[in-house]
Every structure is written in C-alpha cells, then in structure tokens.
Amino acid sequence: MKVTVFSEHGKSHRENPEVVNRHPHGIHRTLKELFDGAGFDTTAVWQDDGDDGSMLTDEILNDTDVLVWWGHCMHENVSDALVEKIVKRVQCGMGVMFLHSAHMSKPFRRLLGTACTLKWRDNDRERLWVSAPAHPIAAGLPEHIELEVEEMYGEHFDIPAPEELVFIGWFAGGEVFRSGVTYTRGKGKIFYFQPGHESNPSYHNEYVRKILVNAVNWLAPTFPIGKPVECPCVEPLEYK
Ligand code: ZN
C-alpha cells in the first residue's frame, strides 16, 4: 500500500523550538516513520512558505492509495488545480485522512462542501471517547483515551452529517467536538481526525498512533484506482 503524507513545514514550524521538539524533522517525517513502521510504503512531501503544493507531483499523487494531509497556515497557497486532482482521485477510490487543522484545507472543504469552521482555544485537556467501538478505526482502543494537552476544537463544527462518528472529543473547558468522522465521496473514503496540534505530543501517544494506522488500513482502496470518467458532451472545466 502506497501512503503519501503531505504537511506544512514552513519557517513558523522549522524555527519554533516547541514544534521542533515534538517533530525534529517535521510532522510529515514523524508520520512517515509511524507509517513505515506499520509496513506501509510511505512518501513524505511538504509545503514551504508560499509554495502551492508543488512537491505533491502528478507522479506521486497518481501512485497514492491513501493521502494524509496536515495543514494550518498555508491552505490558501495550495493550487486549485492540485485540489481538483485530489478530489478526482478520491472520487476514483483514493482514501484520504485530514488531520487537525486540515479542517480548513482546500481539498477537505471542497470534498465536504461546507464551511468546515469550528471553535478553538489553545492548551486544554481532552478526553477522546470512542463512539463507534465496532468501527475498524477504533480497533484495540479502550472506551476513551486522555490527551493531557491538545488544542480545543469545539462545536459547532460546520460539516455535513458524518456517515460514521467514530470519536467524540470532550475538553476540560466544557466543549465537545466531533473529533473523528468518516465520509465517502464517489469510491473514496475520507476520515477527519482532530488531535495533532503542532506543538502538542498527540502523534507520539500510543493510542493516537494506533488510530492513525487503523485509519490508513480502513481508508485503503480494495480495488485498483481508475481514471475519472469524463462526460463526453461537456468540455473539461478549467480551474485557475
Ligand atoms: Zn492547531
């Protein structure tokens, strides 16, 4: 299985000691090491300040079974042409996992069709409840896990009704959040997962790591990913 991890890795991360402490070589490398260790063939690409996502080439995208996307401050730099290619490949069967602040990424909003806005606050304690214990993404987990420090994401989260609500986050400040949700678009599966603020240790938590690996396994297509079917009577849309 071919996994591609895309993450922002601009100056605000590279020169922030708190982020470097958690992710010495970037979030993409932390996740690549996790997925490689789970036996996936993983490619890590990253986005520098001002970059439009150019490291995610056609060659890499067209060889990806599951795309994992972490973004925060550079969503708007990602080219619309790349977003359209991602959307089409999802519709043809590629799985995609959006992590943490990727809720505002262009491909997530484009796939879901809503604003995807939410409430947020730094540094709270989170209790992540398993709300679908039979779901493959929750395999091997206790009924809830504790994250000592995570960014609070709260309702209302402006997403369509999920097909499966796998996790519900509760925060010590009183908020709740639909922290793990699934969708399908065309033949492709989508999973959004809330934990993973860049200066917090969530991606080193053993249960979070289990969730991420479970999710990639669940997202994997069970058939060869084909090419988009173009309607013969309509000129292909051009995106700028
Ligand atoms: Zn964050």
Side-chain angles (χ1 to χ4, degrees), residues 5-238:
V5 178
F6 177 98
S7 173
E8 283 182 18
H9 189 48
K11 268 191 178 173
S12 65
H13 282 196
R14 297 198 301 269
E15 298 180 357
N16 180 338
E18 283 191 334
V19 180
V20 172
N21 182 34
R22 303 298 185 198
H23 306 289
H25 306 289
I27 292 171
H28 54 293
R29 283 284 297 277
T30 298
L31 295 173
K32 172 178 162 54
E33 285 164 17
L34 169 65
F35 295 138
D36 279 341
F40 306 137
D41 181 356
T42 312
T43 300
V45 297
W46 54 281
Q47 183 185 13
D48 204 346
D49 295 282
D51 182 64
D52 64 358
S54 59
M55 274 187 76
L56 185 51
T57 61
D58 288 356
E59 190 181 6
I60 294 172
L61 182 63
N62 291 335
D63 196 31
T64 299
D65 296 310
V66 177
L67 177 64
V68 178
W69 192 280
W70 194 103
H72 181 207
C73 298
M74 296 188 258
H75 298 313
E76 292 307 312
N77 293 108
V78 174
S79 79
D80 290 341
L82 174 58
V83 173
E84 287 308 311
K85 289 175 193 169
I86 292 168
V87 167
K88 282 191 171 162
R89 190 155 172 87
V90 170
Q91 291 168 342
C92 290
M94 181 179 74
V96 59
M97 173 155 59
F98 293 97
L99 295 172
H100 187 58
S101 38
H103 68 93
M104 285 302 285
S105 67
K106 281 185 180 179
F108 186 67
R109 287 183 292 148
R110 171 79 171 75
L111 283 161
L112 267 59
T114 54
C116 301
T117 48
L118 47 75
K119 282 199 185 69
W120 62 275
R121 170 161 41 73
D122 279 334
N123 295 332
D124 206 339
R125 181 167 59 85
E126 177 172 12
R127 184 168 295 158
L128 189 71
W129 288 92
V130 176
S131 49
H135 197 285
I137 296 178
L141 294 177
E143 66 173 13
H144 66 77
I145 67 173
E146 302 280 341
L147 301 174
E148 275 309 308
V149 58
E150 195 35 277
E151 185 175 16
M152 184 283 290
Y153 275 9
E155 299 287 341
H156 172 241
F157 186 17
D158 186 6
I159 50 175
E163 291 171 24
E164 296 262 15
L165 175 58
V166 187
F167 301 105
I168 298 172
W170 169 89
F171 294 87
E175 297 88 352
V176 293
F177 190 68
R178 287 169 288 174
S179 291
V181 292
T182 74
Y183 299 91
T184 48
R185 290 292 184 268
K187 296 176 182 170
K189 295 178 189 167
I190 300 168
F191 180 55
Y192 169 79
F193 187 57
Q194 161 261 316
H197 184 67
E198 63 271 18
S199 59
N200 297 152
S202 296
Y203 294 152
H204 301 286
N205 177 289
E206 62 170 314
Y207 292 119
V208 169
R209 292 167 76 84
K210 186 181 281 287
I211 290 166
L212 296 175
V213 171
N214 285 348
V216 169
N217 274 314
W218 179 76
L219 288 162
T222 54
F223 46 83
I225 300 174
K227 287 199 159 61
V229 177
E230 303 289 355
C231 175
C233 5
V234 179
E235 288 292 317
L237 290 174
E238 284 204 14

